[in-house]
């Protein structure tokens, strides 16, 4: 299949130059269902992007769509700020019974605003309020959002430069294997904390992704995460896990940190917590940290009731019996095998892969190749994006509901795209 890009005159004439995804996928999309998107010219695309992880249950999931339509048709509350509504109550009860209690997690739930960066801002603000300190430690190649506080703990130089002002009160440390295993874990971090001449103010918190999605699919080892949790406890720092892209089952368990056996002080969720792609985010934290004054942190759209409806339906449908986790891990093995075969076929390209669950990355020695592979994949009907500071990694984020057959179709298309750009 060869796809001819349509005329995009209205987008080019009227929309800001800041647009990005549409440049790599020059199509006008019209419909979407499950793992597929369809453009207005009738071309079909298998979606291994899933709204950057916001569509773990696929496009227009029929169960979630039915719940949403029923709610709208009965004139359920759409906008409620932080007022009590039946939709919010149903979500909170379902979240407590399906997610928190089975994992023995004591968290309070905060609705900080509709996007992931809202949740990160709330988490950073709360950590500073609790500890009475301003410094936050983040990690190399981290990505936590595009607002100023979140940017200050983000590693990507291009995105940081867009702030236009100094980004302060954040200090980066080496992520797991950043130094290729040549230095013991946290050696530099511990030394700075101990040394009164280091220039590092005592941090209020450490914020980390267990798998860095935008940073290049960098997977932290469970022992590294446990070591970090221990360091935070010993040094009186709060541990914030940003699970915005890797939570809601992306790595297998509902929370990406479960495998490490740690309990963060604060957790941020967004993207697929709403289930249907509707904007919603959460900040979860230990009860003793809940020292907010009423209205001290708020937002007009923190009461997205349609998202509460689809979120509750997603939890009821996919997380009540443990099957989603098992399926995701099985699908992950399928992806890993296919990527292994691609790397074995293209040894001369220096190809290597990494990932967990249903988030995977494919990297080449020539860092320009990932963009070429993604471009050819689009021409062949597969949506995949790049990640990493130099866009050097082909990033795979298929819906968790993808079938084994759809996954195989997409992986075969990816293998062809690599072969045809080699």
């Amino acid at each position: 299949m060869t796809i001819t890009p349509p005329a995009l005159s209205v987008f080019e004439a009227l929309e800001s130059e800041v647009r990005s995804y549409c440049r790599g996928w020059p199509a006008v999309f019209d419909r979407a269902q499950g793992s597929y998107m369809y453009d207005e010219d009738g071309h079909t695309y298998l979606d291994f992007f899933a709204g950057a992880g916001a569509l773990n249950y696929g496009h227009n999931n029929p169960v979630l769509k039915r719940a949403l339509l029923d709610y709208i048709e009965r004139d359920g509350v759409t906008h409620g700020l932080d007022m009590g509504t039946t939709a919010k109550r149903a979500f909170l009860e379902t979240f407590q019974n399906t997610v928190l209690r089975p994992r023995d997690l004591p968290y309070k739930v905060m609705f900080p605003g509709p996007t992931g960066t809202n949740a990160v801002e709330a988490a950073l603000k709360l950590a500073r309020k609790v500890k009475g300190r301003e410094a936050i430690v983040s990690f190399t190649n981290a990505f936590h959002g595009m607002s100023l506080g979140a940017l200050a703990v983000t590693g990507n130089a291009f995105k940081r430069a867009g702030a236009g002002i100094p980004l302060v009160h954040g200090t980066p440390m080496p992520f797991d294997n950043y130094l290729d295993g040549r230095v013991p874990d946290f050696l530099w971090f511990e030394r700075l904390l101990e040394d009164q001449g280091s220039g590092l103010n005592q941090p209020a918190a450490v914020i980390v992704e267990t798998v860095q999605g935008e940073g290049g699919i960098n997977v932290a080892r469970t022992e590294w995460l446990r070591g970090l949790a221990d360091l935070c406890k010993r040094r009186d720092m709060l541990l914030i896990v940003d699970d915005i892209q890797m939570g809601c089952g992306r790595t297998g368990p509902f929370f990406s940190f479960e495998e490490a056996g740690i309990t963060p002080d604060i957790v941020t969720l967004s993207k697929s917590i709403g289930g249907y792609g509707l904007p919603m985010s959460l900040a979860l934290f230990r009860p003793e940290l809940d020292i907010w004054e009423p209205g001290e942190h708020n937002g007009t759209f923190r009461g997205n009731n349609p998202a509460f409806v689809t979120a509750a339906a997603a939890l009821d449908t996919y997380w009540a019996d443990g099957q989603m986790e098992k399926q995701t891990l099985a699908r992950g093995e399928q992806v890993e095998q296919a990527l292994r075969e691609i790397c074995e076929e293209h040894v001369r390209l220096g190809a290597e892969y990494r990932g967990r669950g249903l988030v995977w990355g494919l990297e080449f020695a020539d860092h320009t190749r990932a963009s070429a592979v993604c471009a050819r994949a689009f021409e062949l009907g597969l949506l995949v994006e790049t990640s990493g500071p130099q866009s050097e990694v082909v990033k795979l984020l298929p819906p968790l509901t993808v079938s084994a057959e759809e996954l195989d179709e997409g992986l075969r298309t990816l293998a062809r795209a690599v072969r045809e750009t080699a």
Side-chain angles (χ1 to χ4, degrees):
M1 174 177 65
T2 300
I3 297 168
T4 303
L8 299 176
S9 57
V10 68
F11 304 108
E12 293 166 349
L14 195 58
E15 192 177 359
S16 167
E17 292 299 316
V18 79
R19 64 192 189 277
S20 59
Y21 294 117
C22 57
R23 297 179 188 276
W25 302 328
V28 178
F29 296 100
D30 181 53
R31 295 185 302 110
Q33 173 61 52
S35 300
Y36 292 93
M37 297 188 74
Y38 307 89
D39 71 18
E40 63 181 358
D41 295 324
H43 299 120
T44 300
Y45 304 83
L46 185 54
D47 185 3
F48 276 21
F49 179 65
L55 295 165
N56 282 4
Y57 311 106
H59 293 273
N60 289 302
N61 183 291
V63 177
L64 311 189
K65 179 166 64 175
R66 185 70 264 160
L68 179 60
L69 290 174
D70 288 347
Y71 185 75
I72 293 171
E73 286 172 353
R74 73 168 185 81
D75 291 332
V77 173
T78 295
H79 182 271
L81 293 163
D82 67 356
M83 291 183 285
T85 64
T86 55
K88 182 195 278 189
R89 180 175 61 200
F91 166 72
L92 285 170
E93 290 174 347
T94 303
F95 190 69
Q96 183 178 46
N97 294 331
T98 306
V99 176
L100 297 182
R101 279 181 178 158
R103 293 162 180 80
D104 197 26
L105 294 172
Y107 296 137
K108 297 289 289 292
V109 179
M110 175 183 179
F111 300 99
T115 69
T117 200
N118 293 141
V120 169
E121 295 287 354
L124 300 180
K125 187 186 291 188
L126 180 60
R128 288 172 169 138
K129 180 178 173 67
V130 168
K131 291 300 182 182
R133 311 177 202 134
E134 87 289 348
I136 303 288
V137 166
S138 58
F139 291 95
T140 50
N141 290 312
F143 178 80
H144 296 291
M146 298 298 284
S147 52
L148 293 179
L151 269 181
V153 290
T154 287
N156 187 285
F158 173 72
K159 292 181 171 64
R160 288 174 62 88
I165 62 171
L167 297 170
V168 296
H169 308 304
T171 301
M173 292 292 166
F175 191 71
D176 190 19
N177 204 41
Y178 183 73
L179 298 171
D180 301 319
R182 293 172 294 175
V183 176
D185 294 342
F186 312 114
L187 176 66
W188 176 239
F189 196 175
E190 290 255 29
R191 181 64 183 270
L192 292 182
L193 290 170
E194 293 168 356
D195 186 358
Q196 295 300 306
S198 70
L200 175 64
N201 294 334
Q202 173 66 17
V206 176
I207 185 167
V208 68
E209 304 153 274
T210 65
V211 180
Q212 295 181 326
E214 299 304 312
I217 317 300
N218 305 312
V219 183
R221 294 167 297 139
T222 56
E223 56 266 36
W224 187 85
L225 292 169
R226 286 193 290 268
L228 178 60
D230 177 66
L231 175 61
C232 288
K233 185 176 181 180
R234 287 189 287 107
R235 296 290 183 171
D236 188 33
M237 303 177 294
L238 297 181
L239 176 61
I240 304 170
V241 168
D242 181 341
D243 237 3
I244 288 165
Q245 189 167 89
M246 298 305 155
C248 302
R250 176 54 58 181
T251 66
F254 187 85
F255 295 106
S256 70
F257 55 81
E258 291 182 51
E259 184 179 345
I262 62 174
T263 302
D265 298 293
I266 305 175
V267 179
T268 60
L269 289 176
S270 188
K271 293 192 182 285
S272 277
I273 187 60
Y276 200 73
L278 298 175
M280 176 179 170
S281 75
L282 305 177
L284 313 175
F285 38 82
R286 296 181 185 273
E288 61 270 24
L289 304 181
D290 192 12
I291 62 172
W292 292 115
E293 296 290 336
E296 190 175 8
H297 185 95
N298 58 22
T300 303
F301 293 100
R302 66 193 185 280
N304 189 351
N305 284 260
F308 296 157
V309 171
T310 53
L315 295 177
D316 276 333
T317 304
Y318 295 103
W319 293 100
D321 59 6
Q323 291 306 305
M324 174 59 77
E325 179 177 349
K326 295 177 182 177
Q327 176 177 298
T328 298
L329 294 175
R331 297 282 190 271
E333 292 176 359
Q334 186 179 348
V335 176
E336 184 174 14
Q337 175 60 31
L339 294 183
R340 182 183 300 116
E341 292 172 1
I342 290 174
C343 290
E344 290 172 352
E345 180 182 349
H346 300 283
V347 173
R348 67 181 181 82
L349 299 180
E352 55 183 53
Y353 64 92
R354 52 188 178 267
R356 277 177 58 194
L358 274 177
V359 51
W360 290 85
L362 179 63
E363 184 175 1
F364 304 92
D366 176 359
H367 285 176
T368 65
R369 189 172 300 281
S371 294
V373 169
C374 290
R376 181 56 182 151
F378 170 77
E379 293 173 348
L380 297 172
L382 175 68
L383 302 181
V384 284
E385 245 292 286
T386 61
S387 73
Q390 301 176 63
S391 298
E392 72 273 21
V393 178
V394 177
K395 180 182 183 181
L396 305 182
L397 280 177
L400 305 187
T401 51
V402 67
S403 70
E405 293 75 22
E406 290 168 343
L407 198 54
D408 183 62
E409 175 191 346
L411 292 168
R412 282 188 281 106
T413 302
L414 176 64
R416 178 181 170 186
V418 173
R419 197 174 300 120
E420 293 182 359
T421 55

